[in-house]
Amino acid sequence: MQRFTLNFMSVATIDDSRKVTTRRLTEMKQRGEKISMLTAYDYSMATIIDRAGMDVILVGDSASNVMAGNLTTLPVTLDQMIYHGKSVVKAVRRALVVVDLPFGTYQGNSKEALASAVRVMKETHADCIKMEGGAEIRESVERVLCAGIPIMGHLGLTPQSINKFGTYAVRAREEAEAKKLIEDARLLEELGCFAIVLEKIPAELTRKVSEELTIPTISIGAGKYADGQVLVMHDMLGINKEFSPRFLRRYAALYETITDAVQSYIKDVKSGEFPNETEQY
């Protein structure tokens, strides 16, 4: 097969440059290839992440925290998620783009769930949506899937239910909750979800769920036995210094890098060093 070098500094087959689809994620699970997933909320960062070779980009309702400064994901609106989704999709050529349905747009009302999902798909041109919950949202999942809209599920710690949980602690440590999570995972697969995010649950439970399902599992704080991993971009790049959970690995320290750059700019402006003779017309 012909080979070439992609602009994200890796040598790959032509197949690697194809658009990632829900079907390709299943194929990756079947051959034991791990799935990489990261959040993005704007055109510029999505461009970098996509060209770097990311498999899945999540336009997460975590935008409520890292973009809008809210304490939880609950305040973000459907209009805001659509705005972020449109910005990201314009940048992406390869990655599968998933947009979160925000709190209050699908729970307890399957007709509203369908209307919300349709708006996201039509207005953002994203590939699919993500919904939190299991049996509690069955009717909404069924109605959205019947419309031909792919759904990524989300079980374990579900941040949209934080007021119910009252804590961001690890979920499903107890047998009853672990059993329900397994049942919910099976249900979501049976209904037709193409993948499931598992958040902040014991690694051995993740292993069990991943081995039982034919659809991919994506871990965030749920250990290494999932079929893929996802992190929030701002956390992974070290832009957000306040959030330091056990599962987070920082791959850069951009808070310090950006601070240094901004302070250098301020210094040069104050001293008259910027702009110099070559930086003016």
Side-chain angles (χ1 to χ4, degrees):
M1 182 179 290
Q2 181 182 358
R3 300 179 71 85
F4 65 97
T5 303
L6 295 179
N7 62 359
F8 46 83
M9 300 177 66
S10 68
V11 177
T13 63
I14 291 177
D15 181 69
D16 290 329
S17 67
R18 285 190 300 126
K19 171 70 178 176
V20 178
T21 63
T22 58
R23 179 180 178 84
R24 285 195 67 189
L25 296 188
T26 299
E27 293 171 351
M28 292 170 72
K29 177 185 175 86
Q30 291 172 344
R31 62 175 178 261
E33 178 184 350
K34 295 291 188 178
I35 298 164
S36 61
M37 181 168 161
L38 196 64
T39 65
Y41 316 94
D42 66 88
Y43 176 86
S44 297
M45 292 304 298
T47 299
I48 295 171
I49 292 169
D50 184 57
R51 291 181 181 178
M54 194 64 57
D55 296 318
V56 184
I57 293 178
L58 171 64
V59 185
D61 58 1
S62 48
S64 179
N65 308 101
V66 299
M67 301 298 289
N70 296 312
L71 293 178
T72 71
T73 62
L74 274 61
V76 72
T77 67
L78 185 60
D79 285 341
Q80 289 171 323
M81 291 305 302
I82 288 172
Y83 168 80
H84 289 296
K86 289 170 69 173
S87 300
V88 167
V89 169
K90 288 177 182 178
V92 173
R93 297 294 176 267
R94 178 182 180 273
L96 182 83
V97 179
V98 186
V99 177
D100 266 332
L101 286 192
F103 174 73
T105 63
Y106 62 93
Q107 298 96 334
N109 188 329
S110 63
K111 291 183 179 180
E112 185 174 359
L114 178 58
S116 301
V118 168
R119 275 200 65 196
V120 168
M121 298 298 286
K122 288 178 70 69
E123 296 182 38
T124 70
H125 299 173
D127 300 302
C128 46
I129 56 99
K130 182 165 75 65
M131 301 166 66
E132 296 182 8
E136 311 81 19
I137 62 166
R138 176 173 186 156
E139 289 185 10
S140 292
V141 170
E142 288 178 322
R143 190 178 286 266
V144 171
L145 287 172
C146 282
I149 299 173
I151 297 175
M152 175 179 284
H154 186 143
L155 298 172
L157 176 63
T158 47
Q160 290 180 13
S161 301
I162 185 56
N163 289 334
K164 173 184 175 182
F165 293 146
T167 175
Y168 287 105
V170 176
R171 304 304 308 175
R173 288 191 183 274
E174 303 299 325
E175 182 178 353
E177 189 176 352
K179 180 180 178 181
K180 183 183 185 307
L181 187 143
I182 294 171
E183 292 172 351
D184 282 340
R186 290 171 180 159
L187 174 63
L188 291 177
E189 180 177 49
E190 290 169 4
L191 293 178
C193 292
F194 72 88
I196 300 175
V197 169
L198 299 174
E199 181 166 358
K200 218 167 181 185
I201 65 173
E204 286 302 319
L205 180 57
T206 296
R207 186 209 292 266
K208 185 172 183 178
V209 173
S210 302
E211 289 176 350
E212 287 199 20
L213 300 185
T214 59
I215 60 175
T217 58
I218 310 293
S219 163
I220 177 165
K224 66 180 182 180
Y225 301 116
D227 301 300
Q229 299 290 328
V230 59
L231 287 174
V232 171
M233 174 193 69
H234 290 67
D235 302 336
M236 185 273 285
L237 292 177
I239 298 173
N240 180 3
K241 292 188 68 176
E242 286 70 36
F243 186 64
S244 299
R246 178 176 179 175
F247 65 81
L248 174 61
R249 180 182 297 183
R250 286 197 170 90
Y251 286 82
L254 293 194
Y255 184 96
E256 288 79 7
T257 300
I258 294 170
T259 298
D260 289 346
V262 171
Q263 289 179 338
S264 294
Y265 168 71
I266 294 170
K267 178 183 177 182
D268 288 350
V269 169
K270 296 289 187 180
S271 67
E273 291 296 317
F274 176 80
N276 60 31
E277 293 296 328
T278 64
E279 295 166 331
Q280 59 189 11
Y281 299 97

